[in-house]
Amino acid sequence: MNNARQQIFNRLKAAQPAPLENGSAERAQHFHPNDFSREEKLTHFQTALESNHAQVLPIDRQQLIATLRQLCAERGWQHAAIGTGGQWHHDFRQGLETIQITEYQQTIEQWKDDLFTTVDVGLTDARAGIADTGALVLWPDNHQPRTLSLVPPCHVAVIRQSTLFNSFSELMIAQQWHQQMPTNVVLVSGPSKTADIQQTLAYGAHGPRELIVIVVVDE
């Protein structure tokens, strides 16, 4: 199976782009990515997320621990789930020190009861953000499994302003996804929602009903 998959990837990498047909260049202009300034990226990113019922908190780097402590107090969290590593791991532990913390270092079978019934919030890093759609890009791994962002009723993601990109295509090119394609990518643009039942919009049906994005602004 691995050999077959590698052969497919090799053929895709070796393929030459087809020449543009007449009129294609003109149509392609409509898909040209925006060229936002640094501050415009943050504004568009925040506006798009907030329109999808997410909360966005731009803060300075030194405010992260205090912000987590304030969120704990305001929302009454008692139990948080975090990974075993990541860029903000130390900050997570300090900011959540007044409540119970469980690091995701067990199999899902060993702690799924607590995960689904007692954990109030899951915290993760975000690899990047997309300004024009207001989407977070997560690359789950062994240190921060995707369960942290999908199961707890609240998901808190921390992202650096410097990792905001104009568009998804710009992000893939800049981070050279064709060279290091992840096995799993999670795109998050707001809390979980559905209108399957009687066309009534409900939050939290298939995942977190609350999304809080902490943006560490550039110094």
PDB file of all heavy atoms in Angstrom, residues 41-71:
ATOM      1  N   LYS A  41      -4.582  41.359   7.696  1.00  0.00           N
ATOM      2  CA  LYS A  41      -4.754  39.914   7.862  1.00  0.00           C
ATOM      3  C   LYS A  41      -5.441  39.607   9.189  1.00  0.00           C
ATOM      4  O   LYS A  41      -6.381  38.806   9.251  1.00  0.00           O
ATOM      5  CB  LYS A  41      -3.402  39.203   7.801  1.00  0.00           C
ATOM      6  CG  LYS A  41      -2.770  39.133   6.437  1.00  0.00           C
ATOM      7  CD  LYS A  41      -1.415  38.442   6.529  1.00  0.00           C
ATOM      8  CE  LYS A  41      -0.653  38.526   5.228  1.00  0.00           C
ATOM      9  NZ  LYS A  41       0.706  37.915   5.344  1.00  0.00           N
ATOM     10  N   LEU A  42      -4.955  40.228  10.243  1.00  0.00           N
ATOM     11  CA  LEU A  42      -5.542  39.996  11.560  1.00  0.00           C
ATOM     12  C   LEU A  42      -6.999  40.447  11.597  1.00  0.00           C
ATOM     13  O   LEU A  42      -7.866  39.755  12.138  1.00  0.00           O
ATOM     14  CB  LEU A  42      -4.728  40.710  12.636  1.00  0.00           C
ATOM     15  CG  LEU A  42      -5.263  40.609  14.077  1.00  0.00           C
ATOM     16  CD1 LEU A  42      -5.423  39.161  14.498  1.00  0.00           C
ATOM     17  CD2 LEU A  42      -4.337  41.354  15.035  1.00  0.00           C
ATOM     18  N   THR A  43      -7.281  41.602  11.002  1.00  0.00           N
ATOM     19  CA  THR A  43      -8.649  42.124  11.000  1.00  0.00           C
ATOM     20  C   THR A  43      -9.597  41.190  10.257  1.00  0.00           C
ATOM     21  O   THR A  43     -10.684  40.861  10.750  1.00  0.00           O
ATOM     22  CB  THR A  43      -8.687  43.519  10.365  1.00  0.00           C
ATOM     23  OG1 THR A  43      -7.880  44.413  11.138  1.00  0.00           O
ATOM     24  CG2 THR A  43     -10.112  44.047  10.314  1.00  0.00           C
ATOM     25  N   HIS A  44      -9.208  40.743   9.071  1.00  0.00           N
ATOM     26  CA  HIS A  44     -10.056  39.844   8.290  1.00  0.00           C
ATOM     27  C   HIS A  44     -10.208  38.498   8.990  1.00  0.00           C
ATOM     28  O   HIS A  44     -11.306  37.921   9.011  1.00  0.00           O
ATOM     29  CB  HIS A  44      -9.467  39.653   6.891  1.00  0.00           C
ATOM     30  CG  HIS A  44      -9.729  40.792   5.954  1.00  0.00           C
ATOM     31  ND1 HIS A  44     -10.852  40.871   5.160  1.00  0.00           N
ATOM     32  CD2 HIS A  44      -9.013  41.914   5.693  1.00  0.00           C
ATOM     33  CE1 HIS A  44     -10.816  41.977   4.445  1.00  0.00           C
ATOM     34  NE2 HIS A  44      -9.706  42.634   4.752  1.00  0.00           N
ATOM     35  N   PHE A  45      -9.122  37.999   9.531  1.00  0.00           N
ATOM     36  CA  PHE A  45      -9.143  36.724  10.249  1.00  0.00           C
ATOM     37  C   PHE A  45     -10.112  36.796  11.428  1.00  0.00           C
ATOM     38  O   PHE A  45     -10.964  35.920  11.610  1.00  0.00           O
ATOM     39  CB  PHE A  45      -7.725  36.415  10.722  1.00  0.00           C
ATOM     40  CG  PHE A  45      -7.561  35.133  11.489  1.00  0.00           C
ATOM     41  CD1 PHE A  45      -7.665  33.907  10.857  1.00  0.00           C
ATOM     42  CD2 PHE A  45      -7.257  35.154  12.850  1.00  0.00           C
ATOM     43  CE1 PHE A  45      -7.495  32.724  11.560  1.00  0.00           C
ATOM     44  CE2 PHE A  45      -7.093  33.989  13.559  1.00  0.00           C
ATOM     45  CZ  PHE A  45      -7.206  32.775  12.915  1.00  0.00           C
ATOM     46  N   GLN A  46     -10.000  37.856  12.212  1.00  0.00           N
ATOM     47  CA  GLN A  46     -10.859  38.016  13.390  1.00  0.00           C
ATOM     48  C   GLN A  46     -12.315  38.202  12.982  1.00  0.00           C
ATOM     49  O   GLN A  46     -13.221  37.580  13.573  1.00  0.00           O
ATOM     50  CB  GLN A  46     -10.382  39.202  14.222  1.00  0.00           C
ATOM     51  CG  GLN A  46     -11.224  39.439  15.472  1.00  0.00           C
ATOM     52  CD  GLN A  46     -10.603  40.472  16.403  1.00  0.00           C
ATOM     53  OE1 GLN A  46      -9.496  40.959  16.160  1.00  0.00           O
ATOM     54  NE2 GLN A  46     -11.299  40.813  17.467  1.00  0.00           N
ATOM     55  N   THR A  47     -12.567  39.028  11.988  1.00  0.00           N
ATOM     56  CA  THR A  47     -13.942  39.294  11.558  1.00  0.00           C
ATOM     57  C   THR A  47     -14.624  38.019  11.053  1.00  0.00           C
ATOM     58  O   THR A  47     -15.788  37.745  11.390  1.00  0.00           O
ATOM     59  CB  THR A  47     -13.962  40.363  10.459  1.00  0.00           C
ATOM     60  OG1 THR A  47     -13.391  41.568  10.966  1.00  0.00           O
ATOM     61  CG2 THR A  47     -15.378  40.636   9.989  1.00  0.00           C
ATOM     62  N   ALA A  48     -13.914  37.251  10.263  1.00  0.00           N
ATOM     63  CA  ALA A  48     -14.494  36.023   9.709  1.00  0.00           C
ATOM     64  C   ALA A  48     -14.784  35.011  10.801  1.00  0.00           C
ATOM     65  O   ALA A  48     -15.848  34.365  10.806  1.00  0.00           O
ATOM     66  CB  ALA A  48     -13.555  35.429   8.661  1.00  0.00           C
ATOM     67  N   LEU A  49     -13.886  34.842  11.748  1.00  0.00           N
ATOM     68  CA  LEU A  49     -14.104  33.892  12.840  1.00  0.00           C
ATOM     69  C   LEU A  49     -15.260  34.337  13.726  1.00  0.00           C
ATOM     70  O   LEU A  49     -16.110  33.528  14.111  1.00  0.00           O
ATOM     71  CB  LEU A  49     -12.830  33.734  13.668  1.00  0.00           C
ATOM     72  CG  LEU A  49     -11.816  32.705  13.179  1.00  0.00           C
ATOM     73  CD1 LEU A  49     -10.498  32.860  13.933  1.00  0.00           C
ATOM     74  CD2 LEU A  49     -12.350  31.286  13.344  1.00  0.00           C
ATOM     75  N   GLU A  50     -15.293  35.619  14.060  1.00  0.00           N
ATOM     76  CA  GLU A  50     -16.357  36.113  14.932  1.00  0.00           C
ATOM     77  C   GLU A  50     -17.722  36.031  14.256  1.00  0.00           C
ATOM     78  O   GLU A  50     -18.747  35.848  14.930  1.00  0.00           O
ATOM     79  CB  GLU A  50     -16.050  37.537  15.368  1.00  0.00           C
ATOM     80  CG  GLU A  50     -14.872  37.608  16.336  1.00  0.00           C
ATOM     81  CD  GLU A  50     -14.511  39.019  16.757  1.00  0.00           C
ATOM     82  OE1 GLU A  50     -14.947  39.974  16.065  1.00  0.00           O
ATOM     83  OE2 GLU A  50     -13.796  39.187  17.761  1.00  0.00           O
ATOM     84  N   SER A  51     -17.760  36.144  12.941  1.00  0.00           N
ATOM     85  CA  SER A  51     -19.035  35.986  12.228  1.00  0.00           C
ATOM     86  C   SER A  51     -19.538  34.551  12.304  1.00  0.00           C
ATOM     87  O   SER A  51     -20.727  34.297  12.081  1.00  0.00           O
ATOM     88  CB  SER A  51     -18.882  36.416  10.766  1.00  0.00           C
ATOM     89  OG  SER A  51     -18.066  35.509  10.046  1.00  0.00           O
ATOM     90  N   ASN A  52     -18.630  33.617  12.617  1.00  0.00           N
ATOM     91  CA  ASN A  52     -19.000  32.209  12.795  1.00  0.00           C
ATOM     92  C   ASN A  52     -19.098  31.833  14.271  1.00  0.00           C
ATOM     93  O   ASN A  52     -18.950  30.674  14.637  1.00  0.00           O
ATOM     94  CB  ASN A  52     -17.991  31.294  12.092  1.00  0.00           C
ATOM     95  CG  ASN A  52     -18.211  31.239  10.596  1.00  0.00           C
ATOM     96  OD1 ASN A  52     -19.342  31.283  10.126  1.00  0.00           O
ATOM     97  ND2 ASN A  52     -17.134  31.157   9.846  1.00  0.00           N
ATOM     98  N   HIS A  53     -19.293  32.843  15.124  1.00  0.00           N
ATOM     99  CA  HIS A  53     -19.545  32.648  16.556  1.00  0.00           C
ATOM    100  C   HIS A  53     -18.323  32.153  17.325  1.00  0.00           C
ATOM    101  O   HIS A  53     -18.462  31.513  18.374  1.00  0.00           O
ATOM    102  CB  HIS A  53     -20.723  31.677  16.774  1.00  0.00           C
ATOM    103  CG  HIS A  53     -22.026  32.218  16.286  1.00  0.00           C
ATOM    104  ND1 HIS A  53     -22.901  32.909  17.092  1.00  0.00           N
ATOM    105  CD2 HIS A  53     -22.608  32.182  15.063  1.00  0.00           C
ATOM    106  CE1 HIS A  53     -23.963  33.266  16.387  1.00  0.00           C
ATOM    107  NE2 HIS A  53     -23.806  32.850  15.149  1.00  0.00           N
ATOM    108  N   ALA A  54     -17.139  32.444  16.843  1.00  0.00           N
ATOM    109  CA  ALA A  54     -15.920  32.187  17.608  1.00  0.00           C
ATOM    110  C   ALA A  54     -15.524  33.471  18.331  1.00  0.00           C
ATOM    111  O   ALA A  54     -15.925  34.567  17.959  1.00  0.00           O
ATOM    112  CB  ALA A  54     -14.793  31.726  16.698  1.00  0.00           C
ATOM    113  N   GLN A  55     -14.735  33.327  19.384  1.00  0.00           N
ATOM    114  CA  GLN A  55     -14.204  34.484  20.102  1.00  0.00           C
ATOM    115  C   GLN A  55     -12.725  34.606  19.784  1.00  0.00           C
ATOM    116  O   GLN A  55     -11.982  33.618  19.860  1.00  0.00           O
ATOM    117  CB  GLN A  55     -14.403  34.337  21.609  1.00  0.00           C
ATOM    118  CG  GLN A  55     -13.893  35.531  22.404  1.00  0.00           C
ATOM    119  CD  GLN A  55     -14.125  35.390  23.905  1.00  0.00           C
ATOM    120  OE1 GLN A  55     -14.610  34.360  24.373  1.00  0.00           O
ATOM    121  NE2 GLN A  55     -13.777  36.409  24.663  1.00  0.00           N
ATOM    122  N   VAL A  56     -12.280  35.788  19.415  1.00  0.00           N
ATOM    123  CA  VAL A  56     -10.883  36.022  19.061  1.00  0.00           C
ATOM    124  C   VAL A  56     -10.304  37.039  20.032  1.00  0.00           C
ATOM    125  O   VAL A  56     -10.869  38.119  20.232  1.00  0.00           O
ATOM    126  CB  VAL A  56     -10.742  36.523  17.609  1.00  0.00           C
ATOM    127  CG1 VAL A  56      -9.266  36.733  17.265  1.00  0.00           C
ATOM    128  CG2 VAL A  56     -11.391  35.538  16.640  1.00  0.00           C
ATOM    129  N   LEU A  57      -9.159  36.685  20.633  1.00  0.00           N
ATOM    130  CA  LEU A  57      -8.523  37.537  21.632  1.00  0.00           C
ATOM    131  C   LEU A  57      -7.097  37.860  21.191  1.00  0.00           C
ATOM    132  O   LEU A  57      -6.175  37.084  21.436  1.00  0.00           O
ATOM    133  CB  LEU A  57      -8.495  36.836  22.999  1.00  0.00           C
ATOM    134  CG  LEU A  57      -9.837  36.379  23.578  1.00  0.00           C
ATOM    135  CD1 LEU A  57      -9.613  35.579  24.857  1.00  0.00           C
ATOM    136  CD2 LEU A  57     -10.728  37.590  23.854  1.00  0.00           C
ATOM    137  N   PRO A  58      -6.864  38.992  20.543  1.00  0.00           N
ATOM    138  CA  PRO A  58      -5.489  39.401  20.234  1.00  0.00           C
ATOM    139  C   PRO A  58      -4.811  39.907  21.513  1.00  0.00           C
ATOM    140  O   PRO A  58      -5.343  40.780  22.199  1.00  0.00           O
ATOM    141  CB  PRO A  58      -5.676  40.540  19.214  1.00  0.00           C
ATOM    142  CG  PRO A  58      -7.108  40.450  18.773  1.00  0.00           C
ATOM    143  CD  PRO A  58      -7.859  39.895  19.949  1.00  0.00           C
ATOM    144  N   ILE A  59      -3.653  39.356  21.829  1.00  0.00           N
ATOM    145  CA  ILE A  59      -2.949  39.730  23.060  1.00  0.00           C
ATOM    146  C   ILE A  59      -1.458  39.823  22.794  1.00  0.00           C
ATOM    147  O   ILE A  59      -0.947  39.314  21.790  1.00  0.00           O
ATOM    148  CB  ILE A  59      -3.195  38.704  24.193  1.00  0.00           C
ATOM    149  CG1 ILE A  59      -2.616  37.338  23.805  1.00  0.00           C
ATOM    150  CG2 ILE A  59      -4.665  38.592  24.547  1.00  0.00           C
ATOM    151  CD1 ILE A  59      -2.560  36.346  24.937  1.00  0.00           C
ATOM    152  N   ASP A  60      -0.751  40.471  23.704  1.00  0.00           N
ATOM    153  CA  ASP A  60       0.705  40.452  23.667  1.00  0.00           C
ATOM    154  C   ASP A  60       1.214  39.131  24.245  1.00  0.00           C
ATOM    155  O   ASP A  60       0.525  38.471  25.023  1.00  0.00           O
ATOM    156  CB  ASP A  60       1.270  41.620  24.484  1.00  0.00           C
ATOM    157  CG  ASP A  60       0.938  42.969  23.868  1.00  0.00           C
ATOM    158  OD1 ASP A  60       0.812  43.033  22.630  1.00  0.00           O
ATOM    159  OD2 ASP A  60       0.793  43.951  24.631  1.00  0.00           O
ATOM    160  N   ARG A  61       2.440  38.791  23.899  1.00  0.00           N
ATOM    161  CA  ARG A  61       3.006  37.513  24.327  1.00  0.00           C
ATOM    162  C   ARG A  61       2.982  37.345  25.842  1.00  0.00           C
ATOM    163  O   ARG A  61       2.632  36.267  26.351  1.00  0.00           O
ATOM    164  CB  ARG A  61       4.453  37.384  23.813  1.00  0.00           C
ATOM    165  CG  ARG A  61       5.229  36.179  24.343  1.00  0.00           C
ATOM    166  CD  ARG A  61       4.611  34.898  23.837  1.00  0.00           C
ATOM    167  NE  ARG A  61       5.285  33.722  24.367  1.00  0.00           N
ATOM    168  CZ  ARG A  61       4.965  33.115  25.503  1.00  0.00           C
ATOM    169  NH1 ARG A  61       3.971  33.600  26.266  1.00  0.00           N
ATOM    170  NH2 ARG A  61       5.601  32.053  25.902  1.00  0.00           N
ATOM    171  N   GLN A  62       3.309  38.390  26.570  1.00  0.00           N
ATOM    172  CA  GLN A  62       3.408  38.277  28.024  1.00  0.00           C
ATOM    173  C   GLN A  62       2.052  38.165  28.707  1.00  0.00           C
ATOM    174  O   GLN A  62       1.976  37.915  29.920  1.00  0.00           O
ATOM    175  CB  GLN A  62       4.197  39.455  28.612  1.00  0.00           C
ATOM    176  CG  GLN A  62       3.544  40.803  28.418  1.00  0.00           C
ATOM    177  CD  GLN A  62       3.989  41.488  27.141  1.00  0.00           C
ATOM    178  OE1 GLN A  62       4.446  40.814  26.210  1.00  0.00           O
ATOM    179  NE2 GLN A  62       3.880  42.809  27.096  1.00  0.00           N
ATOM    180  N   GLN A  63       0.971  38.311  27.960  1.00  0.00           N
ATOM    181  CA  GLN A  63      -0.365  38.236  28.535  1.00  0.00           C
ATOM    182  C   GLN A  63      -0.992  36.837  28.447  1.00  0.00           C
ATOM    183  O   GLN A  63      -2.088  36.637  28.968  1.00  0.00           O
ATOM    184  CB  GLN A  63      -1.299  39.220  27.822  1.00  0.00           C
ATOM    185  CG  GLN A  63      -0.935  40.682  28.001  1.00  0.00           C
ATOM    186  CD  GLN A  63      -1.860  41.592  27.201  1.00  0.00           C
ATOM    187  OE1 GLN A  63      -1.998  41.438  25.986  1.00  0.00           O
ATOM    188  NE2 GLN A  63      -2.503  42.529  27.879  1.00  0.00           N
ATOM    189  N   LEU A  64      -0.307  35.901  27.824  1.00  0.00           N
ATOM    190  CA  LEU A  64      -0.937  34.611  27.556  1.00  0.00           C
ATOM    191  C   LEU A  64      -1.325  33.876  28.835  1.00  0.00           C
ATOM    192  O   LEU A  64      -2.468  33.403  28.975  1.00  0.00           O
ATOM    193  CB  LEU A  64       0.001  33.740  26.707  1.00  0.00           C
ATOM    194  CG  LEU A  64      -0.522  32.344  26.363  1.00  0.00           C
ATOM    195  CD1 LEU A  64      -1.897  32.398  25.721  1.00  0.00           C
ATOM    196  CD2 LEU A  64       0.465  31.611  25.467  1.00  0.00           C
ATOM    197  N   ILE A  65      -0.427  33.752  29.783  1.00  0.00           N
ATOM    198  CA  ILE A  65      -0.729  33.019  31.012  1.00  0.00           C
ATOM    199  C   ILE A  65      -1.867  33.693  31.771  1.00  0.00           C
ATOM    200  O   ILE A  65      -2.807  33.029  32.232  1.00  0.00           O
ATOM    201  CB  ILE A  65       0.530  32.903  31.886  1.00  0.00           C
ATOM    202  CG1 ILE A  65       1.562  32.008  31.197  1.00  0.00           C
ATOM    203  CG2 ILE A  65       0.183  32.355  33.271  1.00  0.00           C
ATOM    204  CD1 ILE A  65       2.896  31.935  31.911  1.00  0.00           C
ATOM    205  N   ALA A  66      -1.809  35.021  31.894  1.00  0.00           N
ATOM    206  CA  ALA A  66      -2.873  35.749  32.596  1.00  0.00           C
ATOM    207  C   ALA A  66      -4.209  35.601  31.870  1.00  0.00           C
ATOM    208  O   ALA A  66      -5.266  35.508  32.521  1.00  0.00           O
ATOM    209  CB  ALA A  66      -2.490  37.224  32.723  1.00  0.00           C
ATOM    210  N   THR A  67      -4.188  35.566  30.554  1.00  0.00           N
ATOM    211  CA  THR A  67      -5.428  35.412  29.779  1.00  0.00           C
ATOM    212  C   THR A  67      -6.053  34.046  30.037  1.00  0.00           C
ATOM    213  O   THR A  67      -7.278  33.926  30.202  1.00  0.00           O
ATOM    214  CB  THR A  67      -5.147  35.583  28.279  1.00  0.00           C
ATOM    215  OG1 THR A  67      -4.628  36.900  28.040  1.00  0.00           O
ATOM    216  CG2 THR A  67      -6.407  35.377  27.459  1.00  0.00           C
ATOM    217  N   LEU A  68      -5.237  33.003  30.087  1.00  0.00           N
ATOM    218  CA  LEU A  68      -5.751  31.661  30.380  1.00  0.00           C
ATOM    219  C   LEU A  68      -6.344  31.600  31.786  1.00  0.00           C
ATOM    220  O   LEU A  68      -7.402  30.997  31.998  1.00  0.00           O
ATOM    221  CB  LEU A  68      -4.637  30.628  30.219  1.00  0.00           C
ATOM    222  CG  LEU A  68      -4.125  30.408  28.789  1.00  0.00           C
ATOM    223  CD1 LEU A  68      -2.910  29.487  28.793  1.00  0.00           C
ATOM    224  CD2 LEU A  68      -5.224  29.828  27.900  1.00  0.00           C
ATOM    225  N   ARG A  69      -5.680  32.228  32.729  1.00  0.00           N
ATOM    226  CA  ARG A  69      -6.207  32.260  34.098  1.00  0.00           C
ATOM    227  C   ARG A  69      -7.543  32.994  34.156  1.00  0.00           C
ATOM    228  O   ARG A  69      -8.473  32.568  34.851  1.00  0.00           O
ATOM    229  CB  ARG A  69      -5.185  32.917  35.030  1.00  0.00           C
ATOM    230  CG  ARG A  69      -3.944  32.066  35.279  1.00  0.00           C
ATOM    231  CD  ARG A  69      -2.888  32.834  36.063  1.00  0.00           C
ATOM    232  NE  ARG A  69      -1.725  31.998  36.349  1.00  0.00           N
ATOM    233  CZ  ARG A  69      -0.563  32.455  36.788  1.00  0.00           C
ATOM    234  NH1 ARG A  69      -0.402  33.758  37.006  1.00  0.00           N
ATOM    235  NH2 ARG A  69       0.438  31.626  37.003  1.00  0.00           N
ATOM    236  N   GLN A  70      -7.642  34.082  33.412  1.00  0.00           N
ATOM    237  CA  GLN A  70      -8.887  34.846  33.389  1.00  0.00           C
ATOM    238  C   GLN A  70     -10.012  34.035  32.752  1.00  0.00           C
ATOM    239  O   GLN A  70     -11.149  34.048  33.234  1.00  0.00           O
ATOM    240  CB  GLN A  70      -8.674  36.147  32.621  1.00  0.00           C
ATOM    241  CG  GLN A  70      -9.911  37.052  32.587  1.00  0.00           C
ATOM    242  CD  GLN A  70      -9.644  38.352  31.869  1.00  0.00           C
ATOM    243  OE1 GLN A  70      -8.528  38.635  31.438  1.00  0.00           O
ATOM    244  NE2 GLN A  70     -10.673  39.160  31.725  1.00  0.00           N
ATOM    245  N   LEU A  71      -9.716  33.318  31.689  1.00  0.00           N
ATOM    246  CA  LEU A  71     -10.725  32.480  31.043  1.00  0.00           C
ATOM    247  C   LEU A  71     -11.216  31.388  31.990  1.00  0.00           C
ATOM    248  O   LEU A  71     -12.416  31.081  32.039  1.00  0.00           O
ATOM    249  CB  LEU A  71     -10.158  31.866  29.766  1.00  0.00           C
ATOM    250  CG  LEU A  71      -9.975  32.810  28.579  1.00  0.00           C
ATOM    251  CD1 LEU A  71      -9.210  32.124  27.455  1.00  0.00           C
ATOM    252  CD2 LEU A  71     -11.324  33.303  28.065  1.00  0.00           C
TER     253      LEU A  71
END
